[in-house]
PDB file of all heavy atoms in Angstrom:
ATOM      1  N   GLN A 711     107.710 196.601 167.999  1.00 98.00           N
ATOM      2  CA  GLN A 711     106.222 196.653 168.064  1.00 98.00           C
ATOM      3  C   GLN A 711     105.615 195.987 166.832  1.00 98.00           C
ATOM      4  O   GLN A 711     104.572 195.303 166.955  1.00 98.00           O
ATOM      5  CB  GLN A 711     105.765 198.108 168.171  1.00 98.00           C
ATOM      6  CG  GLN A 711     106.120 198.779 169.484  1.00 98.00           C
ATOM      7  CD  GLN A 711     105.870 200.267 169.453  1.00 98.00           C
ATOM      8  OE1 GLN A 711     105.515 200.841 168.430  1.00 98.00           O
ATOM      9  NE2 GLN A 711     106.073 200.946 170.601  1.00 98.00           N
ATOM     10  N   ALA A 712     106.230 196.140 165.677  1.00 98.00           N
ATOM     11  CA  ALA A 712     105.717 195.491 164.467  1.00 98.00           C
ATOM     12  C   ALA A 712     105.804 193.981 164.596  1.00 98.00           C
ATOM     13  O   ALA A 712     104.907 193.254 164.160  1.00 98.00           O
ATOM     14  CB  ALA A 712     106.513 195.985 163.256  1.00 98.00           C
ATOM     15  N   MET A 713     106.877 193.480 165.223  1.00 97.00           N
ATOM     16  CA  MET A 713     107.011 192.042 165.418  1.00 97.00           C
ATOM     17  C   MET A 713     105.963 191.514 166.399  1.00 97.00           C
ATOM     18  O   MET A 713     105.607 190.342 166.364  1.00 97.00           O
ATOM     19  CB  MET A 713     108.402 191.683 165.925  1.00 97.00           C
ATOM     20  CG  MET A 713     109.448 191.663 164.847  1.00 97.00           C
ATOM     21  SD  MET A 713     111.026 190.990 165.492  1.00 97.00           S
ATOM     22  CE  MET A 713     111.923 190.679 163.961  1.00 97.00           C
ATOM     23  N   ALA A 714     105.481 192.380 167.246  1.00 97.00           N
ATOM     24  CA  ALA A 714     104.456 191.984 168.234  1.00 97.00           C
ATOM     25  C   ALA A 714     103.030 192.144 167.702  1.00 97.00           C
ATOM     26  O   ALA A 714     102.058 191.909 168.395  1.00 97.00           O
ATOM     27  CB  ALA A 714     104.622 192.800 169.504  1.00 97.00           C
ATOM     28  N   ALA A 715     102.900 192.588 166.421  1.00 98.00           N
ATOM     29  CA  ALA A 715     101.587 192.811 165.820  1.00 98.00           C
ATOM     30  C   ALA A 715     101.290 191.668 164.865  1.00 98.00           C
ATOM     31  O   ALA A 715     102.174 191.123 164.221  1.00 98.00           O
ATOM     32  CB  ALA A 715     101.537 194.137 165.090  1.00 98.00           C
ATOM     33  N   ASP A 716     100.016 191.288 164.766  1.00 98.00           N
ATOM     34  CA  ASP A 716      99.595 190.271 163.825  1.00 98.00           C
ATOM     35  C   ASP A 716      99.560 190.847 162.413  1.00 98.00           C
ATOM     36  O   ASP A 716      99.293 192.056 162.229  1.00 98.00           O
ATOM     37  CB  ASP A 716      98.231 189.730 164.203  1.00 98.00           C
ATOM     38  CG  ASP A 716      98.309 188.792 165.421  1.00 98.00           C
ATOM     39  OD1 ASP A 716      99.309 188.084 165.546  1.00 98.00           O
ATOM     40  OD2 ASP A 716      97.342 188.817 166.203  1.00 98.00           O
ATOM     41  N   PRO A 717      99.843 190.016 161.415  1.00 98.00           N
ATOM     42  CA  PRO A 717     100.017 188.571 161.468  1.00 98.00           C
ATOM     43  C   PRO A 717     101.424 188.063 161.777  1.00 98.00           C
ATOM     44  O   PRO A 717     101.615 186.880 162.016  1.00 98.00           O
ATOM     45  CB  PRO A 717      99.630 188.122 160.061  1.00 98.00           C
ATOM     46  CG  PRO A 717     100.035 189.258 159.193  1.00 98.00           C
ATOM     47  CD  PRO A 717      99.780 190.509 159.994  1.00 98.00           C
ATOM     48  N   LEU A 718     102.391 188.967 161.851  1.00 98.00           N
ATOM     49  CA  LEU A 718     103.783 188.521 162.080  1.00 98.00           C
ATOM     50  C   LEU A 718     103.905 187.883 163.466  1.00 98.00           C
ATOM     51  O   LEU A 718     104.550 186.816 163.626  1.00 98.00           O
ATOM     52  CB  LEU A 718     104.746 189.704 161.957  1.00 98.00           C
ATOM     53  CG  LEU A 718     106.246 189.403 161.840  1.00 98.00           C
ATOM     54  CD1 LEU A 718     106.537 188.502 160.688  1.00 98.00           C
ATOM     55  CD2 LEU A 718     107.025 190.697 161.710  1.00 98.00           C
ATOM     56  N   ALA A 719     103.266 188.450 164.459  1.00 97.00           N
ATOM     57  CA  ALA A 719     103.387 187.942 165.821  1.00 97.00           C
ATOM     58  C   ALA A 719     102.993 186.471 165.946  1.00 97.00           C
ATOM     59  O   ALA A 719     103.578 185.711 166.708  1.00 97.00           O
ATOM     60  CB  ALA A 719     102.584 188.796 166.800  1.00 97.00           C
ATOM     61  N   GLY A 720     101.971 186.090 165.201  1.00 97.00           N
ATOM     62  CA  GLY A 720     101.475 184.719 165.280  1.00 97.00           C
ATOM     63  C   GLY A 720     102.425 183.686 164.657  1.00 97.00           C
ATOM     64  O   GLY A 720     102.169 182.471 164.831  1.00 97.00           O
ATOM     65  N   ARG A 721     103.453 184.162 163.958  1.00 98.00           N
ATOM     66  CA  ARG A 721     104.386 183.209 163.328  1.00 98.00           C
ATOM     67  C   ARG A 721     105.751 183.196 164.039  1.00 98.00           C
ATOM     68  O   ARG A 721     106.656 182.508 163.576  1.00 98.00           O
ATOM     69  CB  ARG A 721     104.631 183.618 161.853  1.00 98.00           C
ATOM     70  CG  ARG A 721     103.630 182.980 160.906  1.00 98.00           C
ATOM     71  CD  ARG A 721     102.281 183.654 160.954  1.00 98.00           C
ATOM     72  NE  ARG A 721     101.332 183.048 160.013  1.00 98.00           N
ATOM     73  CZ  ARG A 721     100.173 183.554 159.671  1.00 98.00           C
ATOM     74  NH1 ARG A 721      99.785 184.726 160.203  1.00 98.00           N
ATOM     75  NH2 ARG A 721      99.371 182.961 158.811  1.00 98.00           N
ATOM     76  N   LEU A 722     105.878 183.923 165.134  1.00 98.00           N
ATOM     77  CA  LEU A 722     107.180 184.018 165.826  1.00 98.00           C
ATOM     78  C   LEU A 722     107.079 183.386 167.203  1.00 98.00           C
ATOM     79  O   LEU A 722     106.042 183.466 167.872  1.00 98.00           O
ATOM     80  CB  LEU A 722     107.606 185.484 165.937  1.00 98.00           C
ATOM     81  CG  LEU A 722     107.735 186.245 164.629  1.00 98.00           C
ATOM     82  CD1 LEU A 722     108.134 187.704 164.926  1.00 98.00           C
ATOM     83  CD2 LEU A 722     108.728 185.590 163.693  1.00 98.00           C
ATOM     84  N   THR A 723     108.179 182.759 167.634  1.00 96.00           N
ATOM     85  CA  THR A 723     108.220 182.197 168.988  1.00 96.00           C
ATOM     86  C   THR A 723     108.842 183.196 169.969  1.00 96.00           C
ATOM     87  O   THR A 723     108.302 183.419 171.049  1.00 96.00           O
ATOM     88  CB  THR A 723     109.033 180.905 168.999  1.00 96.00           C
ATOM     89  OG1 THR A 723     110.367 181.143 168.477  1.00 96.00           O
ATOM     90  CG2 THR A 723     108.372 179.823 168.160  1.00 96.00           C
ATOM     91  N   LYS A 724     109.951 183.809 169.556  1.00 93.00           N
ATOM     92  CA  LYS A 724     110.568 184.794 170.450  1.00 93.00           C
ATOM     93  C   LYS A 724     111.502 185.694 169.663  1.00 93.00           C
ATOM     94  O   LYS A 724     112.025 185.329 168.609  1.00 93.00           O
ATOM     95  CB  LYS A 724     111.371 184.098 171.556  1.00 93.00           C
ATOM     96  CG  LYS A 724     112.608 183.385 171.096  1.00 93.00           C
ATOM     97  CD  LYS A 724     113.442 182.909 172.285  1.00 93.00           C
ATOM     98  CE  LYS A 724     114.750 182.244 171.803  1.00 93.00           C
ATOM     99  NZ  LYS A 724     115.620 181.871 172.932  1.00 93.00           N
ATOM    100  N   VAL A 725     111.679 186.887 170.183  1.00 95.00           N
ATOM    101  CA  VAL A 725     112.709 187.796 169.673  1.00 95.00           C
ATOM    102  C   VAL A 725     113.986 187.464 170.394  1.00 95.00           C
ATOM    103  O   VAL A 725     114.058 187.467 171.637  1.00 95.00           O
ATOM    104  CB  VAL A 725     112.291 189.252 169.888  1.00 95.00           C
ATOM    105  CG1 VAL A 725     113.437 190.193 169.439  1.00 95.00           C
ATOM    106  CG2 VAL A 725     111.032 189.577 169.119  1.00 95.00           C
ATOM    107  N   ALA A 726     115.063 187.210 169.613  1.00 93.00           N
ATOM    108  CA  ALA A 726     116.333 186.833 170.243  1.00 93.00           C
ATOM    109  C   ALA A 726     117.150 188.057 170.596  1.00 93.00           C
ATOM    110  O   ALA A 726     117.726 188.120 171.703  1.00 93.00           O
ATOM    111  CB  ALA A 726     117.127 185.929 169.270  1.00 93.00           C
ATOM    112  N   VAL A 727     117.283 189.003 169.672  1.00 94.00           N
ATOM    113  CA  VAL A 727     117.981 190.248 169.953  1.00 94.00           C
ATOM    114  C   VAL A 727     117.228 191.393 169.275  1.00 94.00           C
ATOM    115  O   VAL A 727     116.745 191.221 168.151  1.00 94.00           O
ATOM    116  CB  VAL A 727     119.449 190.225 169.445  1.00 94.00           C
ATOM    117  CG1 VAL A 727     120.284 189.270 170.257  1.00 94.00           C
ATOM    118  CG2 VAL A 727     119.526 189.895 167.951  1.00 94.00           C
ATOM    119  N   PRO A 728     117.113 192.533 169.959  1.00 96.00           N
ATOM    120  CA  PRO A 728     117.475 192.815 171.346  1.00 96.00           C
ATOM    121  C   PRO A 728     116.511 192.142 172.318  1.00 96.00           C
ATOM    122  O   PRO A 728     115.494 191.562 171.901  1.00 96.00           O
ATOM    123  CB  PRO A 728     117.368 194.329 171.440  1.00 96.00           C
ATOM    124  CG  PRO A 728     116.273 194.681 170.451  1.00 96.00           C
ATOM    125  CD  PRO A 728     116.487 193.723 169.332  1.00 96.00           C
ATOM    126  N   ASN A 729     116.789 192.225 173.572  1.00 93.00           N
ATOM    127  CA  ASN A 729     115.945 191.612 174.602  1.00 93.00           C
ATOM    128  C   ASN A 729     114.587 192.348 174.658  1.00 93.00           C
ATOM    129  O   ASN A 729     114.542 193.496 175.053  1.00 93.00           O
ATOM    130  CB  ASN A 729     116.640 191.719 175.958  1.00 93.00           C
ATOM    131  CG  ASN A 729     115.810 191.108 177.075  1.00 93.00           C
ATOM    132  OD1 ASN A 729     114.748 190.506 176.835  1.00 93.00           O
ATOM    133  ND2 ASN A 729     116.276 191.272 178.308  1.00 93.00           N
ATOM    134  N   PRO A 730     113.484 191.679 174.269  1.00 92.00           N
ATOM    135  CA  PRO A 730     112.201 192.369 174.232  1.00 92.00           C
ATOM    136  C   PRO A 730     111.663 192.688 175.612  1.00 92.00           C
ATOM    137  O   PRO A 730     110.703 193.484 175.718  1.00 92.00           O
ATOM    138  CB  PRO A 730     111.287 191.382 173.485  1.00 92.00           C
ATOM    139  CG  PRO A 730     111.893 190.027 173.764  1.00 92.00           C
ATOM    140  CD  PRO A 730     113.393 190.273 173.849  1.00 92.00           C
ATOM    141  N   ALA A 731     112.254 192.123 176.651  1.00 93.00           N
ATOM    142  CA  ALA A 731     111.789 192.394 178.013  1.00 93.00           C
ATOM    143  C   ALA A 731     112.319 193.732 178.530  1.00 93.00           C
ATOM    144  O   ALA A 731     111.825 194.238 179.559  1.00 93.00           O
ATOM    145  CB  ALA A 731     112.244 191.271 178.941  1.00 93.00           C
ATOM    146  N   ASP A 732     113.314 194.298 177.853  1.00 95.00           N
ATOM    147  CA  ASP A 732     113.861 195.582 178.278  1.00 95.00           C
ATOM    148  C   ASP A 732     114.033 196.477 177.056  1.00 95.00           C
ATOM    149  O   ASP A 732     115.042 196.361 176.359  1.00 95.00           O
ATOM    150  CB  ASP A 732     115.165 195.391 179.012  1.00 95.00           C
ATOM    151  CG  ASP A 732     115.729 196.701 179.612  1.00 95.00           C
ATOM    152  OD1 ASP A 732     115.082 197.738 179.409  1.00 95.00           O
ATOM    153  OD2 ASP A 732     116.758 196.640 180.301  1.00 95.00           O
ATOM    154  N   THR A 733     113.081 197.337 176.818  1.00 95.00           N
ATOM    155  CA  THR A 733     113.170 198.230 175.672  1.00 95.00           C
ATOM    156  C   THR A 733     113.397 199.665 176.122  1.00 95.00           C
ATOM    157  O   THR A 733     112.991 200.631 175.441  1.00 95.00           O
ATOM    158  CB  THR A 733     111.892 198.146 174.801  1.00 95.00           C
ATOM    159  OG1 THR A 733     110.756 198.514 175.600  1.00 95.00           O
ATOM    160  CG2 THR A 733     111.689 196.757 174.238  1.00 95.00           C
ATOM    161  N   SER A 734     114.063 199.829 177.247  1.00 97.00           N
ATOM    162  CA  SER A 734     114.439 201.140 177.700  1.00 97.00           C
ATOM    163  C   SER A 734     115.470 201.745 176.732  1.00 97.00           C
ATOM    164  O   SER A 734     116.112 201.045 175.962  1.00 97.00           O
ATOM    165  CB  SER A 734     115.046 201.098 179.110  1.00 97.00           C
ATOM    166  OG  SER A 734     116.284 200.366 179.068  1.00 97.00           O
ATOM    167  N   ASP A 735     115.559 203.076 176.739  1.00 98.00           N
ATOM    168  CA  ASP A 735     116.546 203.749 175.879  1.00 98.00           C
ATOM    169  C   ASP A 735     117.938 203.199 176.148  1.00 98.00           C
ATOM    170  O   ASP A 735     118.720 202.986 175.204  1.00 98.00           O
ATOM    171  CB  ASP A 735     116.528 205.245 176.143  1.00 98.00           C
ATOM    172  CG  ASP A 735     115.295 205.907 175.549  1.00 98.00           C
ATOM    173  OD1 ASP A 735     114.494 205.218 174.872  1.00 98.00           O
ATOM    174  OD2 ASP A 735     115.146 207.125 175.760  1.00 98.00           O
ATOM    175  N   GLU A 736     118.258 202.964 177.408  1.00 98.00           N
ATOM    176  CA  GLU A 736     119.596 202.514 177.764  1.00 98.00           C
ATOM    177  C   GLU A 736     119.889 201.114 177.201  1.00 98.00           C
ATOM    178  O   GLU A 736     120.961 200.864 176.650  1.00 98.00           O
ATOM    179  CB  GLU A 736     119.769 202.538 179.304  1.00 98.00           C
ATOM    180  CG  GLU A 736     119.726 203.902 179.921  1.00 98.00           C
ATOM    181  CD  GLU A 736     118.325 204.485 180.027  1.00 98.00           C
ATOM    182  OE1 GLU A 736     117.340 203.689 179.881  1.00 98.00           O
ATOM    183  OE2 GLU A 736     118.177 205.683 180.275  1.00 98.00           O
ATOM    184  N   ALA A 737     118.911 200.219 177.345  1.00 98.00           N
ATOM    185  CA  ALA A 737     119.124 198.857 176.868  1.00 98.00           C
ATOM    186  C   ALA A 737     119.191 198.823 175.346  1.00 98.00           C
ATOM    187  O   ALA A 737     120.043 198.102 174.792  1.00 98.00           O
ATOM    188  CB  ALA A 737     117.977 197.966 177.376  1.00 98.00           C
ATOM    189  N   LEU A 738     118.333 199.541 174.670  1.00 98.00           N
ATOM    190  CA  LEU A 738     118.377 199.544 173.211  1.00 98.00           C
ATOM    191  C   LEU A 738     119.630 200.217 172.706  1.00 98.00           C
ATOM    192  O   LEU A 738     120.227 199.777 171.670  1.00 98.00           O
ATOM    193  CB  LEU A 738     117.124 200.221 172.646  1.00 98.00           C
ATOM    194  CG  LEU A 738     115.814 199.449 172.834  1.00 98.00           C
ATOM    195  CD1 LEU A 738     114.623 200.236 172.302  1.00 98.00           C
ATOM    196  CD2 LEU A 738     115.885 198.091 172.156  1.00 98.00           C
ATOM    197  N   ALA A 739     120.097 201.242 173.369  1.00 98.00           N
ATOM    198  CA  ALA A 739     121.331 201.897 172.958  1.00 98.00           C
ATOM    199  C   ALA A 739     122.526 200.948 173.117  1.00 98.00           C
ATOM    200  O   ALA A 739     123.412 200.917 172.261  1.00 98.00           O
ATOM    201  CB  ALA A 739     121.573 203.168 173.777  1.00 98.00           C
ATOM    202  N   ALA A 740     122.527 200.163 174.176  1.00 97.00           N
ATOM    203  CA  ALA A 740     123.615 199.190 174.366  1.00 97.00           C
ATOM    204  C   ALA A 740     123.581 198.153 173.254  1.00 97.00           C
ATOM    205  O   ALA A 740     124.626 197.740 172.751  1.00 97.00           O
ATOM    206  CB  ALA A 740     123.470 198.541 175.737  1.00 97.00           C
ATOM    207  N   HIS A 741     122.394 197.699 172.888  1.00 96.00           N
ATOM    208  CA  HIS A 741     122.247 196.746 171.771  1.00 96.00           C
ATOM    209  C   HIS A 741     122.776 197.388 170.476  1.00 96.00           C
ATOM    210  O   HIS A 741     123.513 196.732 169.688  1.00 96.00           O
ATOM    211  CB  HIS A 741     120.768 196.375 171.626  1.00 96.00           C
ATOM    212  CG  HIS A 741     120.437 195.678 170.358  1.00 96.00           C
ATOM    213  ND1 HIS A 741     120.814 194.391 170.066  1.00 96.00           N
ATOM    214  CD2 HIS A 741     119.760 196.095 169.252  1.00 96.00           C
ATOM    215  CE1 HIS A 741     120.385 194.018 168.881  1.00 96.00           C
ATOM    216  NE2 HIS A 741     119.749 195.047 168.356  1.00 96.00           N
ATOM    217  N   CYS A 742     122.407 198.622 170.234  1.00 97.00           N
ATOM    218  CA  CYS A 742     122.852 199.317 169.006  1.00 97.00           C
ATOM    219  C   CYS A 742     124.389 199.441 168.971  1.00 97.00           C
ATOM    220  O   CYS A 742     125.016 199.256 167.928  1.00 97.00           O
ATOM    221  CB  CYS A 742     122.200 200.675 168.887  1.00 97.00           C
ATOM    222  SG  CYS A 742     120.427 200.641 168.631  1.00 97.00           S
ATOM    223  N   LYS A 743     124.978 199.791 170.084  1.00 97.00           N
ATOM    224  CA  LYS A 743     126.443 199.951 170.131  1.00 97.00           C
ATOM    225  C   LYS A 743     127.128 198.627 169.835  1.00 97.00           C
ATOM    226  O   LYS A 743     128.180 198.591 169.213  1.00 97.00           O
ATOM    227  CB  LYS A 743     126.865 200.470 171.507  1.00 97.00           C
ATOM    228  CG  LYS A 743     126.536 201.948 171.741  1.00 97.00           C
ATOM    229  CD  LYS A 743     126.852 202.366 173.166  1.00 97.00           C
ATOM    230  CE  LYS A 743     128.355 202.330 173.409  1.00 97.00           C
ATOM    231  NZ  LYS A 743     128.712 202.857 174.767  1.00 97.00           N
ATOM    232  N   ARG A 744     126.540 197.536 170.288  1.00 95.00           N
ATOM    233  CA  ARG A 744     127.162 196.250 170.091  1.00 95.00           C
ATOM    234  C   ARG A 744     127.041 195.729 168.657  1.00 95.00           C
ATOM    235  O   ARG A 744     127.942 195.065 168.131  1.00 95.00           O
ATOM    236  CB  ARG A 744     126.555 195.228 171.031  1.00 95.00           C
ATOM    237  CG  ARG A 744     127.239 193.886 170.925  1.00 95.00           C
ATOM    238  CD  ARG A 744     126.700 192.857 171.889  1.00 95.00           C
ATOM    239  NE  ARG A 744     127.347 191.568 171.676  1.00 95.00           N
ATOM    240  CZ  ARG A 744     126.919 190.408 172.171  1.00 95.00           C
ATOM    241  NH1 ARG A 744     125.860 190.403 172.966  1.00 95.00           N
ATOM    242  NH2 ARG A 744     127.548 189.301 171.916  1.00 95.00           N
ATOM    243  N   PHE A 745     125.928 196.070 167.988  1.00 95.00           N
ATOM    244  CA  PHE A 745     125.646 195.422 166.690  1.00 95.00           C
ATOM    245  C   PHE A 745     125.684 196.363 165.489  1.00 95.00           C
ATOM    246  O   PHE A 745     125.578 195.895 164.361  1.00 95.00           O
ATOM    247  CB  PHE A 745     124.314 194.736 166.724  1.00 95.00           C
ATOM    248  CG  PHE A 745     124.260 193.534 167.654  1.00 95.00           C
ATOM    249  CD1 PHE A 745     123.637 193.620 168.880  1.00 95.00           C
ATOM    250  CD2 PHE A 745     124.875 192.345 167.279  1.00 95.00           C
ATOM    251  CE1 PHE A 745     123.600 192.507 169.737  1.00 95.00           C
ATOM    252  CE2 PHE A 745     124.844 191.246 168.127  1.00 95.00           C
ATOM    253  CZ  PHE A 745     124.210 191.337 169.365  1.00 95.00           C
ATOM    254  N   VAL A 746     125.770 197.666 165.676  1.00 97.00           N
ATOM    255  CA  VAL A 746     125.723 198.563 164.523  1.00 97.00           C
ATOM    256  C   VAL A 746     126.849 198.245 163.540  1.00 97.00           C
ATOM    257  O   VAL A 746     127.969 197.909 163.924  1.00 97.00           O
ATOM    258  CB  VAL A 746     125.804 200.031 164.979  1.00 97.00           C
ATOM    259  CG1 VAL A 746     127.148 200.366 165.603  1.00 97.00           C
ATOM    260  CG2 VAL A 746     125.542 200.954 163.809  1.00 97.00           C
ATOM    261  N   LYS A 747     126.505 198.323 162.269  1.00 96.00           N
ATOM    262  CA  LYS A 747     127.483 198.132 161.217  1.00 96.00           C
ATOM    263  C   LYS A 747     127.076 198.916 159.999  1.00 96.00           C
ATOM    264  O   LYS A 747     126.024 199.553 159.973  1.00 96.00           O
ATOM    265  CB  LYS A 747     127.607 196.641 160.853  1.00 96.00           C
ATOM    266  CG  LYS A 747     126.410 196.029 160.175  1.00 96.00           C
ATOM    267  CD  LYS A 747     126.679 194.589 159.820  1.00 96.00           C
ATOM    268  CE  LYS A 747     125.586 193.980 158.967  1.00 96.00           C
ATOM    269  NZ  LYS A 747     125.473 194.609 157.617  1.00 96.00           N
ATOM    270  N   THR A 748     127.916 198.896 158.991  1.00 96.00           N
ATOM    271  CA  THR A 748     127.639 199.598 157.764  1.00 96.00           C
ATOM    272  C   THR A 748     126.428 199.010 157.043  1.00 96.00           C
ATOM    273  O   THR A 748     126.189 197.804 157.083  1.00 96.00           O
ATOM    274  CB  THR A 748     128.857 199.543 156.826  1.00 96.00           C
ATOM    275  OG1 THR A 748     128.508 200.140 155.575  1.00 96.00           O
ATOM    276  CG2 THR A 748     129.281 198.102 156.538  1.00 96.00           C
ATOM    277  N   ASN A 749     125.671 199.881 156.368  1.00 96.00           N
ATOM    278  CA  ASN A 749     124.649 199.444 155.444  1.00 96.00           C
ATOM    279  C   ASN A 749     125.237 199.422 154.019  1.00 96.00           C
ATOM    280  O   ASN A 749     124.488 199.400 153.032  1.00 96.00           O
ATOM    281  CB  ASN A 749     123.441 200.398 155.528  1.00 96.00           C
ATOM    282  CG  ASN A 749     122.192 199.826 154.888  1.00 96.00           C
ATOM    283  OD1 ASN A 749     121.476 200.564 154.204  1.00 96.00           O
ATOM    284  ND2 ASN A 749     121.872 198.565 155.098  1.00 96.00           N
ATOM    285  N   TYR A 750     126.570 199.481 153.945  1.00 96.00           N
ATOM    286  CA  TYR A 750     127.322 199.358 152.694  1.00 96.00           C
ATOM    287  C   TYR A 750     127.156 200.588 151.770  1.00 96.00           C
ATOM    288  O   TYR A 750     127.168 200.483 150.585  1.00 96.00           O
ATOM    289  CB  TYR A 750     126.925 198.090 151.909  1.00 96.00           C
ATOM    290  CG  TYR A 750     126.828 196.878 152.769  1.00 96.00           C
ATOM    291  CD1 TYR A 750     125.581 196.278 153.047  1.00 96.00           C
ATOM    292  CD2 TYR A 750     127.949 196.284 153.368  1.00 96.00           C
ATOM    293  CE1 TYR A 750     125.479 195.172 153.869  1.00 96.00           C
ATOM    294  CE2 TYR A 750     127.858 195.169 154.175  1.00 96.00           C
ATOM    295  CZ  TYR A 750     126.625 194.621 154.437  1.00 96.00           C
ATOM    296  OH  TYR A 750     126.503 193.505 155.252  1.00 96.00           O
ATOM    297  N   HIS A 751     127.070 201.792 152.422  1.00 98.00           N
ATOM    298  CA  HIS A 751     126.832 203.005 151.653  1.00 98.00           C
ATOM    299  C   HIS A 751     127.820 204.128 151.996  1.00 98.00           C
ATOM    300  O   HIS A 751     127.401 205.285 152.188  1.00 98.00           O
ATOM    301  CB  HIS A 751     125.413 203.535 151.918  1.00 98.00           C
ATOM    302  CG  HIS A 751     124.337 202.568 151.540  1.00 98.00           C
ATOM    303  ND1 HIS A 751     123.046 202.627 152.083  1.00 98.00           N
ATOM    304  CD2 HIS A 751     124.305 201.503 150.673  1.00 98.00           C
ATOM    305  CE1 HIS A 751     122.310 201.662 151.577  1.00 98.00           C
ATOM    306  NE2 HIS A 751     123.059 200.959 150.730  1.00 98.00           N
ATOM    307  N   PRO A 752     129.120 203.883 152.064  1.00 98.00           N
ATOM    308  CA  PRO A 752     130.048 204.987 152.367  1.00 98.00           C
ATOM    309  C   PRO A 752     129.966 206.072 151.293  1.00 98.00           C
ATOM    310  O   PRO A 752     129.844 205.785 150.110  1.00 98.00           O
ATOM    311  CB  PRO A 752     131.427 204.305 152.413  1.00 98.00           C
ATOM    312  CG  PRO A 752     131.277 203.046 151.607  1.00 98.00           C
ATOM    313  CD  PRO A 752     129.853 202.623 151.829  1.00 98.00           C
ATOM    314  N   ALA A 753     130.098 207.328 151.736  1.00 98.00           N
ATOM    315  CA  ALA A 753     129.908 208.448 150.813  1.00 98.00           C
ATOM    316  C   ALA A 753     130.553 209.708 151.382  1.00 98.00           C
ATOM    317  O   ALA A 753     130.959 209.757 152.555  1.00 98.00           O
ATOM    318  CB  ALA A 753     128.407 208.703 150.595  1.00 98.00           C
ATOM    319  N   GLY A 754     130.735 210.689 150.518  1.00 98.00           N
ATOM    320  CA  GLY A 754     131.020 212.049 150.943  1.00 98.00           C
ATOM    321  C   GLY A 754     132.473 212.432 151.153  1.00 98.00           C
ATOM    322  O   GLY A 754     132.745 213.548 151.597  1.00 98.00           O
ATOM    323  N   THR A 755     133.441 211.569 150.844  1.00 98.00           N
ATOM    324  CA  THR A 755     134.841 211.816 151.211  1.00 98.00           C
ATOM    325  C   THR A 755     135.616 212.713 150.257  1.00 98.00           C
ATOM    326  O   THR A 755     136.814 212.954 150.452  1.00 98.00           O
ATOM    327  CB  THR A 755     135.565 210.475 151.368  1.00 98.00           C
ATOM    328  OG1 THR A 755     135.330 209.704 150.182  1.00 98.00           O
ATOM    329  CG2 THR A 755     135.053 209.718 152.565  1.00 98.00           C
ATOM    330  N   ALA A 756     134.971 213.186 149.186  1.00 98.00           N
ATOM    331  CA  ALA A 756     135.580 214.204 148.293  1.00 98.00           C
ATOM    332  C   ALA A 756     134.429 215.067 147.808  1.00 98.00           C
ATOM    333  O   ALA A 756     134.153 215.117 146.593  1.00 98.00           O
ATOM    334  CB  ALA A 756     136.330 213.543 147.152  1.00 98.00           C
ATOM    335  N   LYS A 757     133.794 215.746 148.707  1.00 98.00           N
ATOM    336  CA  LYS A 757     132.478 216.329 148.419  1.00 98.00           C
ATOM    337  C   LYS A 757     132.540 217.548 147.516  1.00 98.00           C
ATOM    338  O   LYS A 757     133.514 218.302 147.467  1.00 98.00           O
ATOM    339  CB  LYS A 757     131.800 216.700 149.731  1.00 98.00           C
ATOM    340  CG  LYS A 757     132.437 217.890 150.436  1.00 98.00           C
ATOM    341  CD  LYS A 757     131.608 218.317 151.650  1.00 98.00           C
ATOM    342  CE  LYS A 757     132.162 219.584 152.280  1.00 98.00           C
ATOM    343  NZ  LYS A 757     131.315 220.093 153.384  1.00 98.00           N
TER     344      LYS A 757
END
């Protein structure tokens, strides 16, 4: 939604991923499963 709001929206041609035409929970969850990765913050293993 932020990408679809100005002024950012006026500088973009299209959203490549995820597919903006399908923002259902199922579609976004599938996108998340495919692309999720570490934010480089592993922790807690000798708490």
